[in-house]
């Protein structure tokens, strides 16, 4: 049975960005019963990364202390799309897209949460059943003036960019989720603070004790500047292969090592504090600290042995400048990669080859990689988008190893 043990409070507060009201969590814990800790899931994207895991790992701490993790699948609110941080109205998803994304989410969330002990609800259960009278009661509980206090709405309103009325409904619908499940605590990233605070107001309007707002910091991606996101290609996916995960983590800027240790690794707050202090006073070398961080994170999702193997592969590829032994072999279609420029003169179209080798999603993306000097053939940089037959005929192409970035390799095994 959960208690108000102050050690539990300290553990839960470790790493948190904010708790509103600050003293309310202690009061909730003093109730002596399992708290209902809500996390709303936006099924707009199917894949989870370490940024998502920051909140999930904190929710797992609540679970481990005996509290109830209540996951809300936004299959109804997903029709609107969360306007948080958006400069334009988001496109609506189809029910099929949301269902597929939600399925993928749960498979990956299970890497962090104990899904057998989680309570999973879909907000279409209650939002889809609301009458117009119910909607009017909900909308009468909040004002337009309060809604326009939101930063992203303010900016769009000042600049004359459209704000759909349905976007005003999103925070209200998310807030009503808290009413429906009688949430004691609602979790999210700091970009969700406005929505979570609306939940407190709506719960009060419906006669409930308002929830505690519990936010976690946003995690910068591997570029060190922007929030981790697939859109920015600065993410570390929870299902990334161990070698790829380790390599991405080794590219994190030194100034973020401490934050990644604290928010992404299994280290305790005491261990993370010690590691940060050693980095600050120079007693720990940033590269060794980063290696430790990468090992800890990879081991968390793939196991210690996979972490050791990933580090060894990283050393072979980057420290010793060797091509790894386990490069995947691909069969390439001649008709896709060879182009006849003029009668009797053929060239290899490199962007098409990168797509065939599954090293790029599109020819446009492949051209960008080449322009960024991120493509190598047998360890040598490829400078252009076309290679003459003398350099890339069929005989010389078979067996060649192509590399994109630091971690992705493929070998031309055969031509079809």
């Amino acid at each position: 049975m959960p208690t108000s043990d102050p050690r539990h409070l300290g553990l839960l507060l470790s790493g948190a960005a904010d708790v509103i009201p600050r003293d309310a969590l202690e009061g909730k814990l003093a109730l002596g019963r399992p708290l209902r800790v809500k996390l709303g899931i936006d099924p707009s994207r199917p894949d989870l990364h370490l940024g998502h895991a920051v909140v999930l790992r904190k929710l797992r701490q609540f679970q481990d202390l005996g509290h109830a993790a209540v996951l809300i699948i936004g299959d109804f609110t997903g029709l609107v799309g969360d306007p948080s941080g958006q400069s334009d109205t988001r496109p609506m998803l189809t029910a099929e897209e949301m269902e597929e994304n939600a399925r993928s989410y749960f498979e990956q969330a299970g890497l962090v949460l104990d899904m057998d002990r989680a309570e999973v609800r879909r907000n279409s259960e209650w939002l889809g059943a609301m009458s117009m009278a119910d909607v009017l009661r909900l909308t009468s509980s909040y004002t337009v003036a309060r809604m326009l206090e939101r930063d992203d709405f303010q900016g769009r309103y000042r600049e004359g960019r459209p704000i759909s009325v349905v976007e005003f409904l999103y925070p209200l619908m998310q807030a009503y989720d808290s009413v429906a499940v009688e949430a004691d605590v609602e979790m999210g990233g700091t970009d969700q603070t406005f929505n979570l605070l609306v939940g407190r107001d709506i719960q009060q309007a419906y006669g409930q004790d308002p929830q505690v707002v519990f936010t976690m910091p946003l995690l910068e991606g591997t570029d060190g500047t922007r929030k981790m996101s697939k859109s920015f290609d600065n993410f570390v996916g929870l299902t990334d292969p161990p070698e790829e995960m380790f390599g991405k983590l080794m590219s994190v800027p030194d100034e973020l090592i401490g934050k990644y240790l604290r928010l992404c690794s299994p280290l305790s707050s005491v261990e993370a504090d010690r590691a940060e202090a050693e980095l600050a006073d120079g007693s720990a070398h940033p590269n060794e600290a980063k290696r430790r961080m990468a090992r800890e994170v990879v081991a968390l999702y793939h196991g210690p042995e996979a972490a050791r193997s990933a580090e060894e592969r990283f050393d072979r590829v980057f420290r010793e400048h060797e091509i790894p032994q386990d490069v995947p072999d691909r069969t390439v279609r001649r008709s896709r990669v060879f182009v006849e420029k003029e009668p009797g003169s053929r060239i290899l179209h490199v962007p098409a080859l990168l797509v065939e080798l599954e090293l790029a999603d599109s020819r446009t993306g492949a051209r960008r990689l080449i322009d960024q000097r991120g493509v190598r053939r047998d360890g040598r940089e490829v400078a252009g988008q076309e290679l003459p037959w003398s350099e890339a005929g069929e005989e010389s192409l078979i067996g060649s190893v192509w590399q994109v970035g630091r971690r992705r390799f493929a070998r031309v095994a055969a031509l079809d």
Side-chain angles (χ1 to χ4, degrees), residues 42-260:
D42 179 358
S44 62
R45 291 184 179 275
D47 298 316
L48 300 185
H49 50 62
L50 291 181
H52 298 116
V54 171
V55 176
L56 290 172
R57 282 167 48 77
K58 182 58 67 174
L59 184 56
R60 178 58 188 260
Q61 285 187 344
F62 274 98
Q63 275 192 308
D64 290 343
L65 293 175
H67 302 289
V70 184
L71 299 179
I72 307 294
I73 303 297
D75 62 335
F76 199 92
T77 45
L79 296 172
V80 178
D82 185 0
S84 298
Q86 302 297 316
S87 57
D88 298 291
T89 301
R90 285 173 56 167
M92 294 185 180
L93 296 177
T94 66
E96 292 76 16
E97 289 172 326
M98 286 186 291
E99 184 63 31
E100 180 60 32
N101 290 351
R103 185 180 302 112
S104 177
Y105 185 106
F106 283 130
E107 291 173 357
Q108 296 175 40
L111 297 172
V112 180
L113 296 176
D114 183 346
M115 296 301 295
D116 291 335
R117 290 191 290 132
E119 177 182 332
V120 180
R121 306 286 296 275
R122 296 172 181 269
N123 62 15
S124 58
E125 293 177 38
W126 46 86
L127 295 178
M130 293 181 81
S131 67
M132 179 56 73
D134 295 327
V135 173
L136 291 176
R137 180 188 175 190
L138 176 59
T139 54
S140 68
S141 304
Y142 213 76
T143 68
V144 171
R146 290 288 305 279
M147 200 68 74
L148 285 174
E149 291 175 3
R150 186 186 188 128
D151 291 340
D152 32 33
F153 284 159
Q154 273 189 35
R156 286 161 64 183
Y157 184 74
R158 284 195 304 266
E159 295 167 19
R161 293 199 302 270
I163 303 173
S164 168
V165 172
V166 77
E167 291 182 90
F168 280 177
L169 291 178
Y170 185 94
L172 298 178
M173 291 191 292
Q174 180 175 330
Y176 192 78
D177 292 347
S178 295
V179 174
V181 301
E182 299 183 345
D184 294 302
V185 179
E186 183 169 12
M187 302 193 64
T190 52
D191 57 345
Q192 286 290 309
T193 301
F194 182 91
N195 289 347
L196 275 53
L197 288 172
V198 175
R200 285 178 53 81
D201 292 335
I202 298 303
Q203 280 183 304
Q204 283 187 299
Y206 280 79
Q208 291 186 6
D209 188 37
Q211 65 190 15
V212 175
V213 170
F214 196 115
T215 60
M216 295 296 293
L218 299 181
L219 184 70
E220 294 87 351
T222 54
D223 58 359
T225 55
R226 295 175 294 188
K227 180 179 79 169
M228 185 174 286
S229 169
K230 289 195 72 175
S231 301
F232 299 143
D233 195 27
N234 65 353
F235 69 100
V236 181
L238 298 190
T239 56
D240 280 349
E243 296 81 5
E244 185 173 350
M245 182 179 281
F246 191 94
K248 287 181 177 180
L249 289 166
M250 287 300 292
S251 70
V252 170
D254 291 352
E255 59 269 21
L256 287 178
I257 296 172
K259 188 170 187 178
Y260 270 66

